[in-house]
Amino acid sequence: MNRAQTKLTQGIDWPIVGLYLALVIIGLMSIFAAEYRGDDNIWQNIIHLNKNYSRQLMWFGISIIIASVIWLTDSKFFTATANLAYAGGILLLLLVLGIGKDVKGSHSWLVIGGFQFQPAELTKLCTNLALAKYLSSQETDFNKLRSRLIAAAIALVPAGIIILQSETGLALVYFSFFLVMYREGLPGVLLVIAFSGIVLVLSALLVDKQILFIIFSVITALIIYFSRREIKRKRSRLLVILGVYAFCSLFVMFIVPFAFTKVLKDYQVRRIEVMLGKENDPKATYNTRQSMIAIGSGGFWGKGYLKGTQTRYDFVPEQSTDFIFCTIGEDFGFFGSVIFLAIYVALLFRIIHVAERQRSTFTRVYAYGVASIIFFHLAINISMTIGLAPVIGIPLPLVSYGGSSLLAFTMLIFIMLRLDADRQMVLR
């Protein structure tokens, strides 16, 4: 390698590049395995882009070009344009509401020429940049409530617009930014409150509302009784206890039913109810059951590459996108699945390592955002395929078929690599 080449690649984190390429290659192989039939003319399909694997290969080529452009861009460009990128992302999301195209029940796609893409995927990148810009600002005091509310709004505004596009799954990913805020000083009690909210939702779905009301009343009465001495010294504690009691009661009586009747779609409600055992709808469970059968049929060592029958013969719907993991599980078994997940874990730990070695708050926040987004996608997608979460349409990062997703994750990772290469600089 000559001096010019050395200077060009100086500072790049090669372990992350290697893990990135490994996941993309595994994705291409898995999409090919899910679609390949013995009489296929592979080169003809690649030339004419007839198959998902050929289109994914094309998007990989575009992603590499975009990654190269990012690597050649000055790091300060990303800090200087972070807010502009966020405004552009919000504008794209609003544009989708007006002229977007419906695809598989979601109004979240834009069609430009012969290509269609999801702005919601790209907006994750824009939101991550804007959050990093805000939290690294000298004017931001994250110990103050106002700053925390602004940071939360940066993450939740695009999520709210995406929900209006009937893409609840992708909207949930934006909650991953709260992990970033926790790293930057968000009190742990707020995470406890969030967990308590999840418990309340599950309680509202699984337990009769009258019984819940009685349980809340008994718990509140006991807390008041055992805290009577503290309440005598400070009357405001009684108001806090009664306030929490009132909120919990209203939450399970009105807010959860409203969300399940007015916000979520009927099929989403059915999937959640099936997952919780409240309903046994064969149509709602078909995708998950077929995915679990495919994964289970792989056994410990798997059936071998291109030898899986469940995924190759269309028993599993959406096997190139949402359920790509079952292709890996069937072909390579439990052993191969563990190795595959270990690559993701290694990538996440390496990104966290990169985040913690930064002098710049901007780069640290941005890198944690990348790790949080990948973690949320990974956790939810794998949980969907093995029946631990409802099917909400979240792709597996860098592996599932989808040009918008592959391009967005490539940009997320390579902007982080570009920022990390200049880690001796303090970027704001």
Side-chain angles (χ1 to χ4, degrees), residues 187-310:
V189 67
L190 295 181
L191 295 182
V192 173
I193 291 173
F195 178 77
S196 301
I198 295 172
V199 173
L200 280 176
V201 171
L202 293 176
S203 300
L205 295 175
L206 297 174
V207 183
D208 182 79
K209 292 180 178 56
Q210 292 182 343
I211 296 176
L212 271 180
F213 184 75
I214 294 172
I215 292 173
F216 290 159
S217 300
V218 171
I219 292 175
T220 303
L222 289 172
I223 292 174
I224 292 173
Y225 175 77
F226 288 110
S227 305
R228 60 189 185 276
R229 292 182 180 178
E230 289 81 0
I231 291 173
K232 284 181 180 180
R233 290 196 297 266
K234 198 172 184 179
R235 292 288 181 180
S236 60
R237 293 192 179 184
L238 178 61
L239 294 177
V240 172
I241 294 171
L242 293 176
V244 173
Y245 167 71
F247 174 80
C248 292
S249 299
L250 290 172
F251 190 83
V252 300
M253 298 291 180
F254 300 104
I255 297 177
V256 173
F258 175 82
F260 272 71
T261 55
K262 301 297 183 181
V263 178
L264 297 178
K265 303 295 183 182
D266 290 340
Y267 72 91
Q268 293 172 328
V269 174
R270 285 199 304 273
R271 285 171 177 172
I272 293 173
E273 290 178 340
V274 167
M275 184 190 70
L276 296 175
K278 293 188 65 179
E279 183 181 336
N280 187 19
D281 183 354
K283 291 183 179 179
T285 61
Y286 179 79
N287 291 10
T288 303
R289 283 190 290 110
Q290 292 301 321
S291 172
M292 293 171 68
I293 290 171
I295 294 172
S297 68
F300 189 84
W301 296 110
K303 295 178 178 178
Y305 187 59
L306 298 182
K307 295 181 180 179
T309 55
Q310 295 296 122

Side-chain angles (χ1 to χ4, degrees), residues 27-288:
L28 287 168
M29 292 175 61
S30 300
I31 297 167
F32 180 81
E35 290 191 318
Y36 176 72
R37 303 297 178 265
D39 56 349
D40 282 355
N41 187 324
I42 298 174
W43 294 113
Q44 195 77 8
N45 288 332
I46 291 176
I47 293 171
H48 294 285
L49 302 177
N50 292 331
K51 294 285 188 176
N52 285 340
Y53 61 78
S54 59
R55 289 187 284 269
Q56 189 77 345
L57 187 61
M58 177 199 69
W59 279 110
F60 178 46
I62 294 173
S63 296
I64 291 299
I65 294 172
I66 297 296
S68 301
V69 172
I70 289 171
W71 183 251
L72 296 174
T73 302
D74 193 316
S75 299
K76 294 178 182 178
F77 172 82
F78 302 110
T79 61
T81 60
N83 292 333
L84 183 62
Y86 182 73
I90 296 295
L91 183 62
L92 278 176
L93 292 179
L94 293 174
L95 192 62
V96 170
L97 293 177
I99 63 171
K101 179 183 177 182
D102 289 335
V103 176
K104 297 179 181 178
S106 69
H107 187 78
S108 61
W109 295 80
L110 280 180
V111 179
I112 299 177
F115 294 99
Q116 61 183 28
F117 73 100
Q118 278 185 302
E121 291 283 1
L122 182 62
T123 312
K124 289 182 296 192
L125 165 64
C126 302
T127 303
N128 197 21
L129 285 168
L131 186 62
K133 179 74 173 180
Y134 179 72
L135 293 180
S136 63
S137 172
Q138 289 182 328
E139 289 76 28
T140 300
D141 183 359
F142 202 55
N143 291 319
K144 294 182 178 180
L145 178 61
R146 180 177 178 273
S147 298
R148 291 170 179 172
L149 291 176
I150 292 174
I154 290 172
L156 295 181
V157 166
I161 301 173
I162 293 168
I163 288 174
L164 296 178
Q165 299 172 0
S166 300
E167 268 293 355
T168 309
L170 281 179
L172 287 176
V173 176
Y174 285 76
F175 285 88
S176 64
F177 292 113
F178 284 90
L179 295 178
V180 182
M181 295 179 215
Y182 175 70
R183 166 61 181 82
E184 294 303 309
L186 195 68
V189 67
L190 295 181
L191 295 182
V192 173
I193 291 173
F195 178 77
S196 301
I198 295 172
V199 173
L200 280 176
V201 171
L202 293 176
S203 300
L205 295 175
L206 297 174
V207 183
D208 182 79
K209 292 180 178 56
Q210 292 182 343
I211 296 176
L212 271 180
F213 184 75
I214 294 172
I215 292 173
F216 290 159
S217 300
V218 171
I219 292 175
T220 303
L222 289 172
I223 292 174
I224 292 173
Y225 175 77
F226 288 110
S227 305
R228 60 189 185 276
R229 292 182 180 178
E230 289 81 0
I231 291 173
K232 284 181 180 180
R233 290 196 297 266
K234 198 172 184 179
R235 292 288 181 180
S236 60
R237 293 192 179 184
L238 178 61
L239 294 177
V240 172
I241 294 171
L242 293 176
V244 173
Y245 167 71
F247 174 80
C248 292
S249 299
L250 290 172
F251 190 83
V252 300
M253 298 291 180
F254 300 104
I255 297 177
V256 173
F258 175 82
F260 272 71
T261 55
K262 301 297 183 181
V263 178
L264 297 178
K265 303 295 183 182
D266 290 340
Y267 72 91
Q268 293 172 328
V269 174
R270 285 199 304 273
R271 285 171 177 172
I272 293 173
E273 290 178 340
V274 167
M275 184 190 70
L276 296 175
K278 293 188 65 179
E279 183 181 336
N280 187 19
D281 183 354
K283 291 183 179 179
T285 61
Y286 179 79
N287 291 10
T288 303

